[in-house]
Amino acid sequence: MSQRAPLVPENGEVEPSPGPPAKPLQVPFHLRLGQWIGRLTLQRKLLLALIGSLALICTLIGLLLNTGMRQSLATQLHEQLRFASERAATYSAQNGPDASSGPLFAPGQASGTLNARIVPGFLIFGAVLDPKTGERKEITEADVLPLSSLSLDAPPVIKHLSIGDYLLSAQKDPGSHGTLVTGLPLEPNERTLAALGVLTLTISLAGLIGIGLIGSLIIRRSLAPLQRVSAVASSVATAELESGTAALEARVTPEDSVPGTESGEVGRALNALLDNVGTAFAVREASEAQMRQFVADASHELRTPLSAIRGYTELISATEHFSDDGQRSLNRVLEQSTRMSSLVENLLLLARLDEKHQIKKVPVDLGKLAAEITEDFAITASSHHWIPTVPDDGLVVSGDAAALRRVITNLLANARKHTSAGSTVTVSVERDATASKAMLRVADNGEGIAADFLPQVFKRFTRADAARSGADGTTGLGLPIAKAIVESHGGSIEVSSAPGNTVFEVRLPLPAAAKPASGPRPTNG
């Protein structure tokens, strides 16, 4: 069976085979613990530190108490074993090697005491005083080896017998001249230590729960001023400050801004910050009010001389004879004076809108108004294709008809100026049933608005001639005026743009009794 040679790329290099998939990085436990602690609130961190410290203290106290008690009980048991050994030796010396009267019957021997008499190679006697009945209980053969392995007069040792763990000591038996073994059980000491451990654990848990509840209450009450300061800061953070005219009335209460405490210092600093911001807003608002007043006064004063310039220019043009160059110059003066008059009127309108004058609202058929203006543009700007799409039975909103006409006119004029000849502009009006608003859309398939300029389109005196093609000069006030008028009606205006699809969308609130409009009616312009 033939084998295939590996394929080699044209460059002569063999690509290495992919290795096993890389294992995901394991985050160390201490880093994950630090991340978890970092996400906790300050109140929980303090409570965790309090309970953790108390748990550590309770653990240390429990360990020290258990060690001390164990040592004390061991010393006491050794002392008891010494006394028991002395009593057994005395009793054995007085009664001799009589097996029937073992050392267990020595006066004062406690229950659980073990005694054994061993001669070389033989266990003569071995029994335990039963802890329950106090009667003698013989030891088993399994315990003979541990007992016979004890050294004479050596320190007591612990041996595991069939009846439990015992502390044992061996001494010379004065009655039989053999070995006398005496032992005491370790079980009472272990029961005492276990009971002490349970008691310590119970007290520690009760203390942790109690301290946790009391500490949580104290910490919560201690941090309550800081939470109120945070609430004030959050209310300011959510306030609409873009205009610079928002009233910053929120302040930290005097009891939460007392110097000398952490929360009081924070509250006092926040109040000082809000005072400074409020002062800055007041100065800015006064400056803007003065500027608006100046623009309004200047525009108003310019209307008279501009009207005079236009009138005299028209009179001279009608009564005097000029050369062709002179007539072109005179026409140019008339055009610029007309353009200047339009700019002054726009500035006056913006000044009135900035002063938030109450507009006179009447029922206005937005669909009919949009259709009429679109048809006018179809006649005056025939280089573009104008397509209105409005409801069959109209769509009535409450507003100033002249102002809304100006909004639509400005949007269509903007589309005409900034798109090439032959572009299509679609004007549609429909009802947004979910928001109870009328929607006016002006869309074109022109070159689009540059992404970096898109946030600036509604700012005053901004022009995007470099971003969208067009030959007509603009003042940069058409879209700002449209935005100001729409907002004065309680509506909103937005723009989205991509090459071949630029959409201006106006939303105006519908009257409460407005009914859903029927389907749109396309109209060719």
Side-chain angles (χ1 to χ4, degrees):
M1 182 177 180
S2 61
Q3 294 182 349
R4 288 188 178 183
L7 296 179
V8 180
E10 296 180 357
N11 57 7
E13 297 181 357
V14 179
E15 296 183 358
S17 60
K23 295 182 179 179
L25 295 177
Q26 296 293 332
V27 181
F29 174 76
H30 68 280
L31 293 181
R32 287 187 279 117
L33 180 62
Q35 293 173 357
W36 177 78
I37 294 177
R39 290 192 293 266
L40 296 178
T41 62
L42 178 59
Q43 178 178 340
R44 292 180 178 177
K45 288 179 181 178
L46 293 175
L47 186 60
L48 183 63
L50 177 63
I51 295 178
S53 301
L54 183 60
L56 180 60
I57 293 174
C58 291
T59 302
L60 292 176
I61 292 176
L63 291 176
L64 293 175
L65 184 61
N66 184 275
T67 302
M69 181 61 71
R70 183 178 296 274
Q71 184 65 31
S72 176
L73 291 176
T75 302
Q76 191 177 41
L77 186 63
H78 279 72
E79 190 70 15
Q80 292 173 355
L81 179 61
R82 184 173 65 84
F83 291 148
S85 299
E86 293 176 353
R87 285 194 295 268
T90 302
Y91 190 82
S92 177
Q94 292 175 355
N95 293 275
D98 187 3
S100 62
S101 58
L104 285 177
F105 293 106
Q109 296 291 53
S111 63
T113 302
L114 179 147
N115 278 132
R117 179 179 289 151
I118 302 174
V119 297
F122 297 95
L123 176 65
I124 299 176
F125 171 84
V128 177
L129 284 178
D130 190 288
K132 296 181 180 179
T133 62
E135 298 179 354
R136 187 176 69 180
K137 182 178 180 182
E138 300 293 336
I139 63 175
T140 64
E141 294 181 359
D143 298 329
V144 174
L145 183 60
L147 294 178
S148 60
S149 63
L150 295 174
S151 301
L152 286 173
D153 298 325
V157 295
I158 297 176
K159 293 287 186 178
H160 180 71
L161 305 178
S162 61
I163 54 177
D165 293 335
Y166 266 73
L167 181 66
L168 303 171
S169 66
Q171 60 182 331
K172 192 171 183 61
D173 185 9
S176 64
H177 303 289
T179 301
L180 181 61
V181 177
T182 307
L184 292 177
L186 298 178
E187 184 183 359
N189 287 5
E190 296 300 330
R191 288 200 306 267
T192 302
L193 291 174
L196 179 63
V198 172
L199 181 61
T200 303
L201 182 61
T202 303
I203 295 176
S204 299
L205 290 178
L208 287 175
I209 295 174
I211 292 297
L213 295 176
I214 297 174
S216 177
L217 179 61
I218 294 175
I219 292 173
R220 186 182 298 112
R221 295 191 63 178
S222 300
L223 294 181
L226 191 59
Q227 292 177 345
R228 291 192 290 269
V229 172
S230 176
V232 174
S234 299
S235 66
V236 175
T238 56
E240 296 181 359
L241 305 180
E242 291 83 359
S243 63
T245 59
L248 295 178
E249 298 179 354
R251 290 294 185 276
V252 180
T253 58
E255 56 269 19
D256 292 337
S257 56
V258 178
T261 62
E262 290 80 1
S263 58
E265 293 292 343
V266 174
R268 191 172 64 143
L270 181 59
N271 281 344
L273 175 63
L274 294 177
D275 290 339
N276 290 337
V277 173
T279 301
F281 278 174
V283 172
R284 175 180 173 180
E285 186 175 2
S287 177
E288 290 182 351
Q290 292 177 355
M291 181 61 67
R292 287 194 297 268
Q293 187 63 40
F294 169 75
V295 171
D297 294 342
S299 300
H300 187 272
E301 293 297 327
L302 286 173
R303 296 176 68 184
T304 301
L306 284 174
S307 299
I309 292 173
R310 290 178 57 190
Y312 283 116
T313 303
E314 292 174 353
L315 178 62
I316 293 174
S317 177
T319 58
E320 302 294 334
H321 298 283
F322 296 92
S323 62
D324 293 340
D325 290 339
Q327 188 62 43
R328 281 195 296 271
S329 299
L330 192 63
N331 291 338
R332 186 63 175 169
V333 171
L334 183 59
E335 291 174 1
Q336 293 302 319
S337 62
T338 303
R339 184 170 180 270
M340 186 65 178
S341 297
S342 176
L343 177 60
V344 169
E345 293 296 332
N346 288 336
L347 289 174
L348 278 174
L349 177 58
L350 280 174
R352 296 192 193 99
L353 293 173
D354 288 339
E355 293 176 359
K356 309 295 183 183
H357 288 304
Q358 189 69 26
I359 60 175
K360 184 178 181 181
K361 294 183 178 181
V362 295
V364 179
D365 189 338
L366 188 63
K368 181 179 179 181
L369 187 63
E372 292 176 354
I373 299 174
T374 306
E375 291 174 359
D376 293 341
F377 270 82
I379 297 174
T380 59
S382 57
S383 60
H384 289 62
H385 301 289
W386 304 90
I387 303 177
T389 304
V390 298
D392 292 334
D393 54 355
L395 185 59
V396 178
V397 298
S398 179
D400 187 331
L404 295 179
R405 175 181 290 275
R406 184 153 194 161
V407 171
I408 302 174
T409 301
N410 286 0
L411 292 177
L412 297 187
N414 180 75
R416 175 182 61 82
K417 292 177 182 178
H418 298 290
T419 56
S420 304
S423 299
T424 299
V425 181
T426 303
V427 183
S428 61
V429 175
E430 60 184 16
R431 185 180 189 274
D432 184 358
T434 60
S436 298
K437 291 185 178 182
M439 292 190 299
L440 167 70
R441 288 191 181 93
V442 177
D444 65 70
N445 61 350
E447 293 75 4
I449 304 174
D452 57 347
F453 184 79
L454 199 60
Q456 314 294 326
V457 294
F458 293 112
K459 291 185 177 180
R460 300 175 185 182
F461 298 106
T462 56
R463 289 182 287 270
D465 295 337
R468 305 183 75 184
S469 63
D472 293 341
T474 61
T475 61
L477 293 177
L479 293 179
I481 289 176
K483 182 175 186 295
I485 293 175
V486 170
E487 290 180 347
S488 68
H489 283 73
S492 62
I493 182 170
E494 298 175 351
V495 59
S496 61
S497 181
N501 184 29
T502 298
V503 180
F504 284 86
E505 187 173 82
V506 176
R507 282 184 169 85
L508 295 171
L510 287 171
K515 297 181 179 181
S518 57
R521 179 186 74 243
T523 304
N524 294 328

